[in-house]
Amino acid sequence: MDSKVVIIPTYNEKENIEKIIRAVFSLDGDYHILVIEDGSPDGTGSIVKSLQTEFRERLFMIERSGKLGLGTAYITGFKWAISHGYDYIFEMDADFSHNPEDLPKLYSTCRDGADLAIGSRYCNGISVINWPIGRVIMSYYASVYVRKVLGMNVYDTTAGFKCYKRKVLETIDLDNVHMKGYGFQIEMKYTTYRLGFKIVEVPIIFVDRKEGTSKMSSGIFGEAFWGVLKMRMRKIKPRNI
């Protein structure tokens, strides 16, 4: 059976973390979870530790010293997943904006030929629930901007719900990924695209968090806007070349 790990970065997710872990483990297919815990003062890490006794062979956690950024959390998780030999490596938020029941769709898309499967809010129109209209417009047109500047035929360029085949993350020079916030999601897709891997978008319905606090900020969008222009000019090479 293919080995699968879902990487979930956390910072102050005590309302959601146990529920999301149990939801993933309720799925067929023997998914494992790696939590990247950035020193949450609300006790998120303690909740995960208590669950590790119940899910001893499936639930893992890396604790970091503080809030070090989404990109570095995933890079840490990717390196761990590669070193542990997982075949399929997922990104997912802790707050149920990504429905765990969509994980099998992403997995089957990669199993059937994609190298990167993206849970996409925009490949079938706009599928977002509970966002203010201003945020929907900003997010949608941010993806349009990225698509035009980078020439990449991906509709949801900032999506954070994804499944990679291990070979993609082994090929990307993870130490040379520049962007730390949500621009990281754009950079990883663009790098995957430029290295010639097959990307497939899978339509999902994105539901804004019901509990906890959003980590979005205007600075995140600023980094992404300017970072995309720099990305367009940069040469992208596989690791070790």
Side-chain angles (χ1 to χ4, degrees):
M1 181 183 289
D2 294 324
S3 56
K4 304 181 284 292
V5 64
V6 182
I7 301 172
I8 304 178
T10 56
Y11 184 78
N12 285 351
E13 292 289 356
K14 68 177 182 180
E15 297 93 348
N16 296 304
I17 191 61
E18 179 170 357
K19 288 181 281 189
I20 200 77
I21 287 170
R22 291 191 182 280
V24 172
F25 287 155
S26 72
L27 300 169
D28 292 332
D30 194 30
Y31 291 85
H32 291 189
I33 292 175
L34 171 65
V35 175
I36 309 294
E37 207 326 89
D38 270 7
S40 301
D42 72 346
T44 299
S46 297
I47 296 170
V48 176
K49 284 179 183 175
S50 70
L51 290 170
Q52 283 182 301
T53 59
E54 181 178 350
F55 302 107
R56 199 174 299 275
E57 302 298 323
R58 300 177 69 188
L59 178 59
F60 307 94
M61 178 168 64
I62 295 174
E63 294 184 274
R64 305 200 300 173
S65 59
K67 197 174 179 184
L68 302 176
L70 183 76
T72 63
Y74 277 125
I75 295 294
T76 298
F78 293 159
K79 290 179 176 180
W80 182 94
I82 291 168
S83 70
H84 286 77
Y86 285 95
D87 300 308
Y88 295 89
I89 300 157
F90 299 78
E91 297 182 19
M92 191 174 75
D93 290 348
D95 61 9
F96 284 93
S97 56
H98 303 146
N99 186 346
E101 293 183 6
D102 288 327
L103 287 168
K105 290 197 294 187
L106 297 180
Y107 163 62
S108 63
T109 299
C110 278
R111 184 195 60 204
D112 294 342
D115 298 308
L116 167 60
I118 300 170
S120 178
R121 298 164 291 185
Y122 304 133
C123 67
N124 257 4
I126 298 177
S127 300
V128 176
I129 295 174
N130 292 341
W131 264 10
I133 188 63
R135 186 169 174 185
V136 172
I137 291 169
M138 181 167 59
S139 173
Y140 177 80
Y141 281 104
S143 280
V144 172
Y145 163 76
V146 172
R147 197 161 68 245
K148 298 298 184 185
V149 172
L150 298 181
M152 178 174 59
N153 191 28
V154 172
Y155 284 87
D156 194 349
T157 56
T158 60
F161 193 22
K162 299 188 283 184
C163 175
Y164 291 94
K165 283 181 177 170
R166 183 176 72 226
K167 67 179 180 181
V168 177
L169 298 178
E170 287 176 331
T171 303
I172 291 173
D173 183 357
L174 296 174
D175 291 325
N176 198 37
V177 175
H178 293 253
M179 300 176 80
K180 306 302 182 191
Y182 281 80
F184 164 83
Q185 302 291 10
I186 301 169
E187 184 172 1
M188 287 296 295
K189 293 181 188 71
Y190 184 58
T191 304
T192 300
Y193 163 75
R194 285 287 302 276
L195 291 174
F197 289 107
K198 182 178 180 181
I199 301 174
V200 176
E201 291 185 86
V202 178
I204 63 161
I205 296 174
F206 179 95
V207 181
D208 196 21
R209 66 164 61 237
K210 295 178 181 177
E211 298 185 83
T213 305
S214 172
K215 315 303 187 295
M216 186 64 69
S217 72
S218 59
I220 286 169
F221 278 98
E223 181 210 37
F225 180 87
W226 294 111
V228 166
L229 295 175
K230 294 176 183 176
M231 211 181 299
R232 184 71 179 85
M233 308 303 295
R234 202 165 67 238
K235 291 183 179 179
I236 295 174
K237 298 180 180 179
R239 188 167 60 90
N240 294 333
I241 293 179

